[in-house]
Amino acid sequence: MDWIKFLGTAGARFVVSKQLRSSGGIWMSLAGKEILVDPGPGTLVHCLKSRPKLNPGKLDAIILTHKHLDHTGDVNVMIEAMTEGRLQKRGVLFAPADAFENDPVVLSYLKDYPEKIEILKEKSEYQLGDLKITAPVKHIHHGVECYGLNFEGGRKSVSIIADTRYFEGIESFYPGEILILYVVLLQPFPDRVIDHLNLGDAERIIEANRPGLTLLTHFGLTMLRSKPWKLAEALSKKLKVKVQAARDGMEIKLE
Ligand SMILES: [Zn+2]
Ligand SMILES: [Zn+2]
């Protein structure tokens, strides 16, 4: 049984620092592999508080889409937990090169705890058991090196569009039957360009790809105030495709 669990659905500074939503990232169980994407602050606590409990010692991979704090706050403690304090040299850590360069987010002494470190690069493909993981395109509009992800080989193909400003053609890189979209903003700001997707961008992407199920997450304050579940329902009706807003702790089973 494949499934996806949202340990957290917070995006952007205020929602994370005030913990209006938790920032624990996404745990996925796909094709027999346990994968944690973007372990923000509080991830370990939310794994252990989860019912049933999620055991970090079972993780096969930790993936950072980019080095921003809301995606990496708990990466070091999660590496420790995955490897049981290095008793078990196991798991793969995927991250862009700049996560290890100046201002590194992964502590040097932890770098040899996982079995392997894979540097995410544009168009790179990785095989994790039966699961193929690809980073199809670099999200150049986000200040740091950032990648979305595609997962193939499980019950359903899954795409994650991580933080980015919208760019022409982004849809074509993420064909997953399940589409996870990081939608921080309700609307574009009138006076400045923000390097995040807004709800209009999400609509454009969903309309182009028409995935079997779209899951919105990584909400900033403007999205939260407008009740993401209502926004998702309205989008579903308008586009006649299934769109759902993620909640903290929500689990989706992939039949
Ligand atoms: Zn973010
Ligand atoms: Zn970011």
Side-chain angles (χ1 to χ4, degrees):
M1 168 67 79
D2 287 359
W3 50 269
I4 298 170
K5 185 159 189 166
F6 290 84
L7 293 170
T9 55
R13 277 159 289 180
F14 299 112
V15 176
V16 174
S17 57
K18 293 179 193 300
Q19 288 290 290
L20 301 175
R21 291 280 183 108
S22 88
S23 45
I26 306 167
W27 186 305
M28 304 195 294
S29 184
L30 303 175
K33 296 292 175 190
E34 306 297 317
I35 299 151
L36 177 65
V37 180
D38 286 345
T43 302
L44 179 60
V45 171
H46 289 288
C47 286
L48 300 180
K49 272 190 175 169
S50 222
R51 291 293 171 267
K53 195 188 277 188
L54 293 172
N55 177 2
K58 295 255 161 72
L59 280 171
D60 297 293
I62 297 174
I63 307 180
L64 310 179
T65 61
H66 64 296
K67 71 190 285 186
H68 282 154
L69 184 65
D70 49 332
H71 302 255
T72 61
D74 262 14
V75 65
N76 291 297
V77 75
M78 291 310 297
I79 292 171
E80 273 235 343
M82 175 171 77
T83 58
E84 293 169 42
R86 210 193 188 178
L87 286 175
Q88 307 281 342
K89 196 171 168 68
R90 69 187 309 275
V92 186
L93 173 67
F94 294 84
D98 73 350
F100 305 98
E101 288 162 0
N102 60 15
D103 215 4
V105 292
V106 178
L107 293 169
S108 295
Y109 83 92
L110 291 171
K111 283 205 303 205
D112 62 348
Y113 280 34
E115 211 176 303
K116 219 178 182 189
I117 289 184
E118 290 280 9
I119 302 295
L120 289 178
K121 293 189 194 87
E122 182 163 87
K123 295 195 179 114
S124 45
E125 280 187 22
Y126 312 89
Q127 200 69 36
L128 192 69
D130 293 335
L131 197 66
K132 187 167 96 176
I133 304 173
T134 52
V137 64
K138 193 191 257 189
H139 291 187
I140 52 170
H141 302 293
H142 197 56
V144 296
E145 203 177 342
C146 180
Y147 298 93
L149 300 159
N150 290 319
F151 300 86
E152 291 164 83
R155 296 298 294 264
K156 296 257 163 81
S157 56
V158 178
S159 294
I160 299 180
I161 303 189
D163 286 349
T164 181
R165 193 198 314 162
Y166 181 85
F167 57 91
E168 206 59 53
I170 186 172
E171 306 85 353
S172 63
F173 294 100
Y174 298 103
E177 295 164 274
I178 309 286
L179 177 63
I180 297 173
L181 273 177
Y182 288 11
V183 190
V184 171
L185 300 169
L186 181 67
Q187 287 167 329
F189 279 44
D191 52 343
R192 62 199 160 108
V193 175
I194 307 278
D195 286 341
H196 279 293
L197 295 176
N198 60 57
L199 193 67
D201 300 326
E203 179 174 339
R204 191 164 165 184
I205 293 167
I206 298 164
E207 198 172 14
N209 284 15
R210 305 191 70 77
L213 173 63
T214 304
L215 298 158
L216 310 179
T217 187
H218 211 58
F219 303 125
L221 208 50
T222 54
M223 279 296 285
L224 270 195
R225 280 187 181 138
S226 306
K227 304 189 170 71
W229 59 95
K230 292 201 165 159
L231 300 170
E233 201 184 308
L235 263 187
S236 289
K237 279 192 184 139
K238 186 173 174 191
L239 302 178
K240 298 188 174 57
V241 288
K242 222 167 151 190
V243 183
Q244 216 175 319
R247 287 174 282 104
D248 290 350
M250 183 173 92
E251 187 180 318
I252 299 286
K253 291 188 166 61
L254 309 183
E255 311 288 351

